[in-house]
Amino acid sequence: MRYLTVALAKGRMAKKSMELFEAIGLPCEEMKDEGTRKLIFVNEEKKVRFFLAKASDVPTYVEYGAADMGIVGKDTLLEEGRRLYEVLDLGIGKCRMCVCGPAEARERLLHHELIRVATKYPGIARDYFFRKKHQTVEIIKLNGSVELAPIVGLSEVIVDIVETGSTLKENGLEVLEDIVSLSARMVVNQVSMKMEHERISRIIGDMRALIKKREE
Ligand code: PRP
């Protein structure tokens, strides 16, 4: 039997994802060693291997079939726009994509002024402002700590993820508009879905049942 390969977004979500895999009988002991620098982890018995990748690369590995399936945030899926099957909402890592800024920016947004928008998600920002709102803005791509942008005057607003809201609050910013709700999703390579249909649909089914049970 060939190995089934699963790509996980490294960081907070990887740990939560592995808890779910363990709960459906696909544990991976090697991965629990927090000091490890290994990138790939194997469950020999079940012939499944897991690897950790940068979140934005997970859809790429899955689209090209280097991973049969993956777990990644909806934010990354929307931004990357890869060809793959999104099969399940795992209900973990729940947060929102929002337009945020200082309270004063609310008026400027309302009046469709030509404002600057800093974000790690230029694709999502473009789609929201240009296609949904028909509002012309200048989008500036950043790679992290996006909340800094309106504070130091790089942009009027940001498009970013809000989870607890504490980063915004501690920096004098607020949610101005909601774009979309986010959570972790299971994704599957389109060819693997056919070639490994039995194993993959069992995993999807077990995961779906587990999530349903947890939500009850
Ligand atoms: C994310 C996001 C916000 C923060 C939101 O950042 O970009 O900055 O978390 O969480 P909160 O609403 O609970 O405060 P992340 O930690 O991924 O870091 P980065 O933006 O620097 O990449």
Side-chain angles (χ1 to χ4, degrees):
M1 189 161 51
R2 74 181 269 275
Y3 281 100
L4 201 68
T5 305
V6 182
L8 304 175
K10 66 179 172 194
R12 282 173 278 195
M13 208 131 76
K15 208 171 159 196
K16 286 187 187 169
S17 308
M18 283 315 298
E19 284 167 14
L20 295 178
F21 277 104
E22 179 155 8
I24 62 160
L26 290 174
C28 192
E29 292 306 318
E30 288 188 299
M31 209 186 257
K32 290 181 184 164
D33 172 6
E34 301 219 338
T36 186
R37 303 289 291 168
K38 277 181 90 166
L39 294 171
I40 190 142
F41 307 89
V42 185
N43 178 326
E44 285 294 349
E45 192 201 330
K46 305 281 183 183
K47 287 278 179 284
V48 178
R49 54 182 197 171
F50 298 91
F51 70 79
L52 299 173
K54 201 173 153 70
S56 52
D57 293 336
V58 168
T60 314
Y61 283 106
V62 176
E63 179 182 321
Y64 284 89
D68 298 291
M69 58 202 302
I71 294 189
V72 66
K74 180 69 178 175
D75 52 326
T76 308
L77 292 175
L78 289 170
E79 186 62 29
E80 297 295 315
R82 293 275 173 187
R83 273 172 304 173
L84 33 74
Y85 296 131
E86 184 186 317
V87 294
L88 195 59
D89 183 343
L90 297 174
I92 55 173
K94 283 187 184 169
C95 51
R96 300 182 290 156
M97 184 68 72
C98 302
V99 180
C100 312
E104 312 87 80
R106 199 178 291 276
E107 280 293 300
R108 309 193 62 179
L109 269 174
L110 277 176
H111 296 118
H112 282 219
E113 286 182 34
L114 179 59
I115 52 169
R116 285 184 293 187
V117 181
T119 184
K120 280 201 287 190
Y121 303 91
I124 294 175
R126 216 173 288 129
D127 187 67
Y128 178 69
F129 280 104
F130 298 167
R131 290 218 301 195
K132 208 166 156 206
K133 292 193 70 191
H134 303 289
Q135 180 168 3
T136 309
V137 295
E138 183 182 345
I139 292 166
I140 303 172
K141 164 85 163 71
L142 287 178
N143 295 297
S145 302
V146 178
E147 291 84 357
L148 265 175
I151 299 171
V152 298
L154 175 66
S155 68
E156 281 77 17
V157 299
I158 60 174
V159 164
D160 201 17
I161 288 172
V162 180
E163 194 180 348
T164 60
S166 50
T167 310
L168 291 179
K169 204 165 165 215
E170 287 184 31
N171 292 290
L173 305 172
E174 56 189 65
V175 172
L176 303 172
E177 290 173 6
D178 254 297
I179 300 180
V180 66
S181 295
L182 306 167
S183 57
R185 307 294 159 97
M186 179 175 277
V187 292
V188 178
N189 170 270
Q190 297 186 341
V191 176
S192 302
M193 191 63 133
K194 293 190 187 76
M195 306 299 286
E196 294 287 345
H197 190 259
E198 210 185 306
R199 294 167 84 193
I200 292 177
S201 21
R202 186 171 319 126
I203 293 175
I204 297 170
D206 289 351
M207 210 56 114
R208 184 177 290 126
L210 173 72
I211 292 157
K212 203 166 163 227
K213 213 167 92 191
R214 288 193 171 186
E215 281 171 356
E216 277 166 12

